[in-house]
Amino acid sequence: MKFEKSRANAKTEVSTASMPDIIFMLLLFFMVATTMREQEIFVKFILPEAKAVQKIEDKRLVSYIWIGDNERIQIDDNIVELKEIQDIMYKKRVDIPKVIVSLRVDKNSTMGLVMDIQQSLRKADARRINYSATSKL
């Protein structure tokens, strides 16, 4: 009479049934824990009011220029001089050909500075410009 152990043929396998649950929980954790990068604004500005305001749908194409109340100019996270705007915006336009330049101008800023910035943008061939404003109720 031959005796065999019933366990000897049993293969031990690692169950992968819970693997999708673990992956989903990790994905959910990183989605909740991750924050989007926000730009720090160094200039003080108060946007003017407008009667008609239109939202930009694709904000990935928008590059902001802030003009503060003391005529300081900020692009991205840097305070820049007027003469630097042309080079910076040209590089951005080369990187993103459909870039939209959004000017966030303080309502007390001089129009001469805004016109100088427009001229720099024109020389950089960044011709898609909009002006940010708050809606007048």
Side-chain angles (χ1 to χ4, degrees):
M1 181 171 200
K2 189 175 181 182
F3 294 100
E4 290 184 18
K5 290 184 179 180
S6 62
R7 294 183 187 174
N9 293 334
K11 295 180 180 178
T12 56
E13 293 181 8
V14 176
S15 174
T16 58
S18 61
M19 190 67 77
D21 294 336
I22 294 170
I23 291 171
F24 181 73
M25 287 177 60
L26 282 173
L27 181 65
L28 188 64
F29 170 75
F30 285 115
M31 287 175 61
V32 171
T34 303
T35 57
M36 300 297 288
R37 183 178 183 274
E38 294 182 12
Q39 292 180 341
E40 188 174 345
I41 301 170
F42 301 117
V43 297
K44 293 179 182 176
F45 67 100
I46 300 171
L47 291 176
E49 294 180 345
K51 291 180 182 175
V53 178
Q54 185 177 7
K55 277 191 157 185
I56 298 172
E57 298 299 325
D58 196 3
K59 295 210 175 198
R60 291 179 299 142
L61 301 175
V62 177
S63 177
Y64 295 100
I65 296 176
W66 289 273
I67 302 170
D69 56 351
N70 51 4
E71 299 194 351
R72 292 174 62 193
I73 303 166
Q74 178 180 346
I75 297 175
D76 295 331
D77 290 334
N78 302 317
I79 301 292
V80 297
E81 297 292 324
L82 180 62
K83 59 186 175 189
E84 298 174 86
I85 292 175
Q86 181 179 345
D87 294 334
I88 293 170
M89 295 314 293
Y90 181 76
K91 289 176 187 170
K92 284 189 176 228
R93 198 191 60 74
V94 169
D95 292 340
I96 307 168
K98 292 184 177 182
V99 67
I100 300 170
V101 180
S102 180
L103 293 173
R104 294 189 162 198
V105 182
D106 184 71
K107 66 180 183 181
N108 296 323
S109 293
T110 60
M111 195 60 196
L113 178 63
V114 176
M115 292 298 291
D116 292 341
I117 291 172
Q118 284 180 335
Q119 291 296 325
S120 296
L121 293 174
R122 186 175 294 161
K123 290 176 184 173
D125 202 23
R127 297 178 189 254
R128 299 179 73 191
I129 302 171
N130 76 351
Y131 297 91
S132 297
T134 57
S135 64
K136 191 175 187 177
L137 298 176

